[in-house]
Amino acid sequence: MNIEFRPVREEEVDDFIRAESRGFGCNATDAYLAHGNRLIEADRTLAAFEGKRLVGTSTSHTLKMTVPGGAAVPTGGIAWVTVQPTHRRRGINTGMMVQQLHRIHERGEPLAALWPSESAIYGRFGYEMAAFGERWTVERQRSALTHSPEEQGQTFFVDSWEARGIFPDVYQRVFSVRSGMVTRNDAAWDDELSGTPQGRSVAEMFYVVYELDGRVDGYVKYRIDRSQSRLIIFELVTATDEAHAALWKFCMGVDLLDTVEGNNRPVDDPLLWMLADPQRLRRESQDALWLRLVDAPVVLAQRRYAKEGKLVIEIQDSICPWNNGRFQLDGGPDGAQCRSTPASADLSLSVADLASGYLGATGYSALQRASRIQEHSVGAIKLMDEMFATDLKPWCAHDF
Ligand SMILES: CC(C)(COP(=O)(O)OP(=O)(O)OC[C@H]1O[C@@H](n2cnc3c(N)ncnc32)[C@H](O)[C@@H]1OP(=O)(O)O)[C@@H](O)C(=O)NCCC(=O)NCCS
């Protein structure tokens, strides 16, 4: 079998979308083709061909990701990864994922990220869990709050076309302060608010905003599921604590329902600390965003650190050889530098393990206890934990 890897041509885009849909066990509907055509950047696809037959699909969306300190770092957002069920376990996905990383590097994007369908797939390519989301289920009858900010503003419904004009600004405000957030371009916003075939029909969605002094500070997109007597939050994004409390209260106040379910909540959503009966809040943790440091020294220099410190980090990377070696990181709250060094290492770790703590999702000491990191200088991992700590936990609101 001879497999050719290349981007699809314009005239192959529909076939590519059909193959991707089939890879997930679905036949592409017209709505799905429209969704794919809206979002595709054909030159960033990488497909696998056996002769003329399309047997593997992948793409990388053009994104930027906020990293600790606020820099927006160019990121390849890997998505639409499938191999046809007739061609699995022959190394086709491995070929696509390795080539995607090299192409992302050639584009000068030092990060890659993805939302995996199964967490066993991507570790071998140097990705690791870097931001979590939680599914929260609140019983309405047990949703009284003991603490919450005083609300001066008001909530009201908007249509999807009004939402299109309002939501991006709120999203942008959160993007600028929360690491792990990625940009959502116009096409993605159109898709998000025009009834996506992956989500639910736009007719079933409700959009509510919180406004104070003429400015919208938060929004929620939800639908009602009468069969299970629940309100399902698809996206709740707020730029102020007041808007956060107001929109949760709004959702928990909708009548004739038993529960409110919030998907992909940040792990540090303060609702937990507002509820009178937090034991009745059910939390299910999900590994959401997986991160790949495509150019590790570059991204180490792009974030800011909670504490001044100097560390020599030895990185192992079997796919991106430019990351292999020892690098001296000098970082602090005001800036950072990271350079190759002949000095002996304070600690050694894989590029994937480095990614897991890069946004602040975990301390590296947890990875040490899991036997994933080797410390060579006593105290190095403690210093690394202190340097990489963040005020807010990373969160990615956009599943691309
Ligand atoms: C996941 C998928 C893309 C893998 O494609 P593939 O071409 O079969 O993968 P490869 O042959 O390159 O496999 C490489 C390695 O990954 C492992 N692997 C692949 N898919 C895996 C999975 N779902 N779970 C665990 N391991 C997996 C293989 O066993 C192989 O390991 P080995 O080298 O130790 O034998 C393919 O199974 C698929 O299309 N699945 C359905 C759609 C999907 O889930 N896509 C991912 C979206 S994020």
Side-chain angles (χ1 to χ4, degrees), residues 119 124 137 202 214 225 250 263 306 339 367:
S119 49
R124 71 192 68 229
T137 308
V202 70
D225 173 13
F250 164 78
N263 289 298
R339 295 188 216 90
L367 303 184

Side-chain angles (χ1 to χ4, degrees), residues 29-49:
T29 57
D30 288 348
Y32 194 76
L33 282 171
H35 152 79
N37 273 284
R38 250 194 308 264
L39 298 179
I40 200 163
E41 297 169 75
D43 61 324
R44 298 192 59 129
T45 60
L46 187 65
F49 290 88

Side-chain angles (χ1 to χ4, degrees), residues 142 144 271-283:
R142 304 282 191 132
L271 180 71
L272 176 70
W273 302 98
M274 295 157 65
L275 287 165
D277 193 357
Q279 234 180 37
R280 309 299 287 219
L281 170 69
R282 277 208 315 278
R283 302 170 66 179

Side-chain angles (χ1 to χ4, degrees), residues 23 81-83 88-91 93-94 117-118 120-122 124:
V81 176
T82 67
V83 171
R88 284 185 186 156
R89 307 303 180 262
R90 301 182 200 176
N93 189 41
T94 302
S117 61
E118 290 181 282
I121 302 173
Y122 295 101
R124 71 192 68 229

Side-chain angles (χ1 to χ4, degrees), residues 119 122 157 196 310 336 374 396:
S119 49
Y122 295 101
F157 283 94
T196 73
K310 181 161 45 167
Q374 285 173 288
C396 185

